[in-house]
Amino acid sequence: MKITWLGHSGFRIEIGKQILLIDPWFDGNPAFPEDKKEEAIVGASHVLLSHGHGDHSANAVGIASDLGIPVVGMFDLMSFWEARHGIQTVGFNKGGTVDLGDVKVTMVNAVHSSSISSDNGPIYTGSEAGFMIEGEGHVIYFSGDTDVMADMKVFNDLHKPDIGILACGGHFTMDMRRAAYAAREFFDFKTVIPCHYKTFPLLAQSADPLVEALPGVDVKVPEVMESITF
């Protein structure tokens, strides 16, 4: 299994026979090198989308259309995009599990908001979410944009994720301190990967506080387009 950070909250996960693009945001992303887009998306089988905000969803429809692959996410937004853009989608909701080939994806709760922009103001797109991604003997918890939640204990009890991809940049999501608290109090991760930081000056610029707060956990801090192999 290989996890590649695409900057901000975007990831490429090669797991089983699938290549999942999670919240891939390239156009206008100051953390992503423009000349690496084709490398980032080549061979992708699905786009997973946690919520509608542009720094997560802006490229989803284009990638799905160009590659002929489905976007997987909240039923409300998937139905809207399928009707408007004619793309393939897999719409489901929190607590639901879908089989993507040999990979199982369960949608779990997050605490944030979800909308897309329009000329008439925001269009609300259902609800924000995270994912449990199970395959190759691993369970990955992708938190999506969220604060700490007591729900996380339930997630751990039910799914026992060994890898946590945690939003931790602050201001819009958990900061490093809160993400570390979530990892310590609710989970038993072997590996943690930070995201949703360094993209803008408003966000945390270093994951050092997370590393220092989790001495018993292997906190991986990759550069953009750097892969971690499990």
Side-chain angles (χ1 to χ4, degrees), residues 34-52:
E34 293 181 10
D35 62 344
K36 295 291 186 179
K37 181 177 177 181
E38 291 303 315
E39 180 182 342
I41 69 174
V42 65
S45 60
H46 304 81
V47 176
L48 267 62
L49 194 68
S50 67
H51 65 292

Side-chain angles (χ1 to χ4, degrees), residues 19-76:
I19 298 178
L20 313 178
L21 300 178
I22 305 182
D23 288 359
W25 172 44
F26 304 118
D27 299 340
N29 181 350
F32 188 82
E34 293 181 10
D35 62 344
K36 295 291 186 179
K37 181 177 177 181
E38 291 303 315
E39 180 182 342
I41 69 174
V42 65
S45 60
H46 304 81
V47 176
L48 267 62
L49 194 68
S50 67
H51 65 292
H53 289 159
D55 57 333
H56 300 255
S57 72
N59 288 108
V61 170
I63 292 171
S65 179
D66 290 345
L67 299 185
I69 61 175
V71 183
V72 182
M74 180 58 65
F75 176 81
D76 310 63

Side-chain angles (χ1 to χ4, degrees), residues 10 29 41 52 55 59 76 107 115 121 127 143 149 190 192 206:
N29 181 350
I41 69 174
D55 57 333
N59 288 108
D76 310 63
M107 185 182 291
S115 65
S127 181
S143 73
M149 303 173 290
K190 294 180 179 177
V192 165
S206 171

Side-chain angles (χ1 to χ4, degrees), residues 192-210:
V192 165
I193 303 169
C195 68
H196 210 285
Y197 77 111
K198 286 205 301 187
T199 321
F200 312 109
L202 191 63
L203 305 180
Q205 299 299 300
S206 171
D208 287 351
L210 184 68

Side-chain angles (χ1 to χ4, degrees), residues 102-179:
D102 52 354
V103 178
K104 292 183 181 297
V105 178
T106 301
M107 185 182 291
V108 297
N109 195 33
V111 178
H112 190 60
S113 59
S114 182
S115 65
I116 55 176
S117 299
S118 77
D119 293 339
N120 298 315
I123 299 173
Y124 291 95
T125 52
S127 181
E128 62 282 2
F131 298 112
M132 291 288 175
I133 302 165
E134 182 178 354
E136 289 196 30
H138 294 278
V139 180
I140 304 164
Y141 170 48
F142 178 78
S143 73
D145 285 11
T146 192
D147 188 19
V148 183
M149 303 173 290
D151 301 40
M152 291 172 170
K153 181 182 185 304
V154 178
F155 302 165
N156 189 63
D157 289 346
L158 290 173
H159 298 278
K160 296 179 171 52
D162 57 305
I163 301 168
I165 299 177
L166 305 180
C168 54
H171 196 84
F172 298 106
T173 71
M174 300 182 287
D175 59 15
M176 298 291 169
R177 175 172 172 265
R178 298 171 80 84

